[in-house]
Amino acid sequence: MKNIRNFCIIAHIDHGKSTLADRLLQHTGTISDRDMQAQALDDMDLERERGITIKSHAIQMKYNYEGEDYILNLIDTPGHVDFSYEVSRSIAACEGALLIVDATQGIEAQTISNLYLALENDLEIIPILNKMDLDSAMAEEVTDEIVDLIGCKPEDVIPASGKTGMGVEDILKAVIEIVPAPTGDVTKPLQAMIFDSTFNSFRGIIALVRIMNGTLNKNDIVKFINTGNEYKADEIGVLGLDLIPQKTLMAGDVGYIISGIKVAKEVKVGDTITTVEHPTDEVIQGFEDVKPMVFAGVYPVDTDEYEELRASLEKLQLNDASLTYEPESSNALGFGFRCGFLGMLHMEIIQERLEREFDMTVITTVPNVSYYAYTTANEKILVNNPSDLPDPSSLDYIEEPVINAQIITKAEYTGQVMNLCINKRGILLNQVYLTSDRVELSFDLPLGEIVFDFYDKLKSVSRGYASFDYHPKGYQKSKLIKLDILLNGDQVDALSALIHRDSAYELGKKICLKLKELIPRQQFDIAIQAAISTKVIARETVKAVRKDVTAKCYGGDISRKRKLLEKQKKGKKRMRQVGNVEIPQNAFMAVLKLD
């Protein structure tokens, strides 16, 4: 066990984690040059196309150092704030972390947040300065930033480059010398923690485990403590580029277990596995339950596919434990699911994965956050969907979730960033200069305001320099009202939104104008209205497509034309009573991109 090292790679998005992981795999000979490709560990097409890591990826490397063979278990983690739950799970399975900082960009918000996660779990931190081959690298400045952040010596920071392979030897040496070997007792009863799982349509669920104590042998009867179910360990092994079967796994190992489980609910990430023969009494403290931030309805385009959608979401949840869902129905869209996501990118990725991996075409409603409504009878109601809101006559007040946001930006963009936050009802708490031209701003912001387009706007006002990280702070009382959208007098529940009173008129007008562009013209006039309870605050009309019925009357008396027009008018009126308005899918999403 003294020759095992478990470590993960943490960094801000786009600081070169996956590229550096590629070099480590090449250097240790884990991947042959023939199999090598960029982002070798990212196995989803989506990850390659966007150049981001969505899932954590674990792999085992063997390395000979000073005549001894070492086993290095590496976990490459995502960098985007929406996938921080993946990072927290990876950190729980490790003893050390490589903290990578881009030499051209310096420390960013996500670097700090991931670092705190690692320090909370008492991991050894190895600081690495990446992208040193670029001409724009600011080695000395960024080294000073790292020294200030984690209090190491300047010579402890390893200069490296994922592109050229510079510094890879030093990184492996540091991992072996600095990261402690896993602690654990082989003689104790088995304790293994599930830190991830994937679904294979032939073999069932493959659970990835970190063994804390004891030994696991092939064909042992194991018990999952959380669910109480017992299974036979049909195959166990370690994670190379493919699964590598083994006879036994011991304390300190990171590996996988396949026991023919077909039902997704039976494997819970963070659960403890033990053997039936010598069960353990202690449950490993896994990770806290995930708190979704953004809620949206996901509905199948064809209502017959409801059960298929349920099965697809179940399999996705295995692979992405931060997704939560529950059934709901809507008058406009039929049966579907209310899904909880960690952020907008997470929602976009899930939608795309449903389409690619499961061939499901889905309609996603306008995302919102969850509120608490208090009635005059002192009842507290959780509102995940604007249609759950109690009647205005019995409503006392509404509380909305607030987050504490840290934004790190170049000093020249401070004004624009502050303007953006204040327009989103933010309150400035603190402003700290990290270096002469980098500022850290702390804001309290309502979560509902940042859900839609805040991240994109922040990037555009700061020309891509600002980085953003947040954590929930609780709930506060706010002047919120429900904005309803009516089509021909019928309320479309999928377009309702809870918004601040001050921005209701403006938003109502914008939504009506946007829908007027997107809803195709029918044979009758369509009235699009925005209303607050019974008061209409904005209206647009989609004009009817009309046939010129008077074309055949040339000359002659006006009463003949009038008669034909009246006849047409009656037909239109009858049509309006029976005709219903189809809302195209892009109308639901376009409401988000109003600006």
Side-chain angles (χ1 to χ4, degrees):
M1 199 160 75
K2 69 180 197 319
N3 286 10
I4 296 177
R5 300 287 182 272
N6 298 320
F7 67 102
C8 59
I9 301 186
I10 54 176
H12 187 79
I13 189 167
D14 213 16
H15 278 204
K17 292 179 296 298
S18 299
T19 317
L20 200 66
D22 289 354
R23 293 297 84 77
L24 290 171
L25 296 175
Q26 252 179 321
H27 193 81
T28 54
T30 309
I31 294 186
S32 63
D33 289 342
R34 194 183 70 176
D35 295 335
M36 191 62 210
Q37 52 176 341
Q39 286 175 266
L41 290 177
D42 293 349
D43 44 17
M44 269 186 250
D45 298 340
L46 202 55
E47 292 181 308
R48 289 231 158 78
E49 279 168 31
R50 291 180 173 229
I52 55 176
T53 304
I54 295 167
K55 285 284 304 153
S56 296
H57 301 279
I59 191 164
Q60 186 178 91
M61 309 184 288
K62 291 189 169 63
Y63 184 60
N64 187 295
Y65 175 67
E66 291 182 352
E68 281 199 60
D69 286 333
Y70 286 87
I71 290 175
L72 310 177
N73 291 312
L74 155 76
I75 302 180
D76 178 24
T77 64
H80 196 282
V81 60
D82 281 10
F83 303 114
S84 51
Y85 186 64
E86 284 283 323
V87 182
S88 74
R89 292 178 5 214
S90 309
I91 284 175
C94 295
E95 279 86 29
L98 304 182
L99 178 75
I100 295 182
V101 181
D102 183 335
T104 61
Q105 293 183 2
I107 284 171
E108 311 243 359
Q110 218 31 44
T111 319
I112 297 176
S113 127
N114 286 344
L115 172 70
Y116 287 154
L117 267 179
L119 290 174
E120 275 169 30
N121 284 285
D122 296 334
L123 299 199
E124 279 294 333
I125 307 290
I126 301 173
I128 294 168
L129 200 53
N130 198 16
K131 305 196 185 178
M132 285 294 284
D133 56 315
L134 297 180
D135 299 337
S136 54
M138 307 175 292
E140 288 173 8
E141 289 172 42
V142 181
T143 303
D144 290 344
E145 284 183 26
I146 297 175
V147 170
D148 287 346
L149 181 68
I150 58 177
C152 61
K153 298 191 187 87
E155 55 270 22
D156 293 347
V157 180
I158 303 172
S161 160
K163 194 185 277 179
T164 61
M166 158 190 176
V168 169
E169 190 73 43
D170 298 337
I171 293 171
L172 289 167
K173 182 179 159 192
V175 166
I176 289 168
E177 291 179 353
I178 297 172
V179 176
T183 53
D185 190 342
V186 188
T187 56
K188 280 189 175 175
L190 174 72
Q191 266 184 324
M193 177 180 72
I194 303 178
F195 66 91
D196 204 352
S197 56
T198 52
F199 185 80
N200 180 315
S201 43
F202 301 108
R203 316 191 61 183
I205 290 162
I206 302 171
L208 305 190
V209 293
R210 158 74 203 271
I211 298 189
M212 299 297 189
N213 287 317
T215 336
L216 173 63
N217 298 309
K218 190 180 171 178
N219 297 331
D220 274 357
I221 306 293
V222 292
K223 179 180 179 183
F224 288 53
I225 292 182
N226 201 328
T227 55
N229 295 339
E230 295 178 8
Y231 306 98
K232 180 178 165 197
D234 294 333
E235 184 183 308
I236 60 172
V238 293
L239 304 150
L241 251 195
D242 296 314
L243 305 177
I244 305 166
Q246 303 282 342
K247 291 279 193 315
T248 54
L249 291 176
M250 295 183 162
D253 279 332
V254 171
Y256 69 90
I257 171 170
I258 301 178
S259 36
I261 306 171
K262 288 284 190 281
V263 185
K265 286 195 185 76
E266 294 178 14
V267 176
K268 190 170 187 289
V269 168
D271 196 358
T272 307
I273 301 180
T274 187
T275 50
V276 174
E277 270 183 50
H278 304 289
T280 175
D281 317 330
E282 301 166 48
V283 176
I284 304 167
Q285 284 307 312
F287 349 94
E288 71 282 0
D289 267 346
V290 58
K291 297 182 191 69
M293 293 294 210
V294 175
F295 294 89
V298 173
Y299 294 87
V301 172
D302 183 356
T303 41
D304 301 345
E305 292 179 348
Y306 175 73
E307 281 305 324
E308 274 174 59
L309 180 60
R310 181 196 291 273
S312 308
L313 282 170
E314 223 172 70
K315 286 174 192 164
L316 259 187
Q317 194 179 34
L318 252 190
N319 197 271
D320 181 348
S322 44
L323 169 71
T324 59
Y325 64 92
E326 55 188 47
E328 75 161 2
S329 64
S330 141
N331 305 339
L333 300 169
F335 288 103
F337 293 92
R338 179 113 202 122
C339 298
F341 308 99
L342 294 180
M344 291 296 281
L345 177 72
H346 187 208
M347 171 174 143
E348 210 178 304
I349 295 287
I350 292 288
Q351 198 177 340
E352 207 152 316
R353 285 183 68 184
L354 280 172
E355 284 179 18
R356 287 187 185 205
E357 295 172 27
F358 303 100
D359 281 338
M360 295 292 311
T361 343
V362 293
I363 292 178
T364 318
T365 64
V366 179
N368 58 17
V369 297
S370 48
Y371 301 89
Y372 281 114
Y374 290 84
T375 60
T376 44
N378 273 344
E379 267 185 282
K380 179 178 173 182
I381 300 167
L382 179 68
V383 179
N384 276 337
N385 193 340
S387 52
D388 303 343
L389 204 65
D391 189 68
S393 58
S394 64
L395 187 65
D396 188 9
Y397 62 94
I398 299 175
E399 283 185 348
E400 66 176 344
V402 181
I403 58 158
N404 181 253
Q406 273 91 32
I407 297 168
I408 296 180
T409 176
K410 284 200 159 179
E412 61 201 88
Y413 304 121
T414 314
Q416 292 99 306
V417 172
M418 280 187 171
N419 270 344
L420 171 67
C421 293
I422 288 161
N423 288 342
K424 297 278 187 188
R425 300 191 283 130
I427 298 162
L428 180 66
L429 301 177
N430 200 357
Q431 180 177 354
V432 183
Y433 277 83
L434 301 171
T435 63
S436 57
D437 69 335
R438 285 166 70 79
V439 192
E440 181 181 17
L441 302 169
S442 300
F443 276 93
D444 272 356
L445 282 161
L447 183 61
E449 293 282 342
I450 67 151
V451 156
F452 302 136
D453 53 359
F454 179 79
Y455 196 67
D456 299 343
K457 280 188 175 167
L458 179 68
K459 284 292 182 202
S460 50
V461 299
S462 66
R463 304 210 184 137
Y465 276 110
S467 61
F468 171 66
D469 179 49
Y470 62 84
H471 51 264
K473 196 175 174 180
Y475 283 77
Q476 75 176 19
K477 195 169 168 179
S478 184
K479 282 197 231 161
L480 295 172
I481 47 171
K482 182 181 169 199
L483 180 73
D484 289 323
I485 302 295
L486 311 170
L487 288 185
N488 278 348
D490 294 333
Q491 188 186 327
V492 183
D493 56 355
L495 287 173
S496 299
L498 268 177
I499 53 171
H500 198 262
R501 186 178 288 280
D502 299 348
S503 52
Y505 286 86
E506 203 183 322
L507 190 74
K509 185 77 186 155
K510 278 185 186 167
I511 292 180
C512 289
L513 281 166
K514 194 78 188 176
L515 288 175
K516 183 183 177 181
E517 288 169 28
L518 293 167
I519 291 178
R521 288 171 70 182
Q522 311 277 349
Q523 297 274 344
F524 50 91
D525 283 2
I526 303 170
I528 304 169
Q529 294 165 311
I532 296 171
S533 65
T534 52
K535 181 182 175 189
V536 174
I537 57 168
R539 171 184 169 132
E540 292 292 330
T541 309
V542 179
K543 283 302 197 188
V545 182
R546 290 183 55 187
K547 180 180 168 190
D548 188 359
V549 287
T550 59
K552 56 181 181 280
C553 301
Y554 46 92
D557 190 34
I558 184 74
S559 59
R560 290 181 61 203
K561 292 186 180 177
R562 178 67 52 228
K563 184 180 164 191
L564 287 166
L565 286 168
E566 284 298 323
K567 188 177 171 190
Q568 185 187 32
K569 197 169 163 187
K570 275 183 187 159
K572 295 270 181 221
K573 196 173 172 186
R574 193 166 59 245
M575 216 174 225
R576 181 176 169 174
Q577 286 163 355
V578 296
N580 63 347
V581 185
E582 285 288 314
I583 307 175
Q585 154 72 18
N586 56 0
F588 291 109
M589 291 321 282
V591 174
L592 308 183
K593 303 183 176 75
L594 283 175
D595 300 324

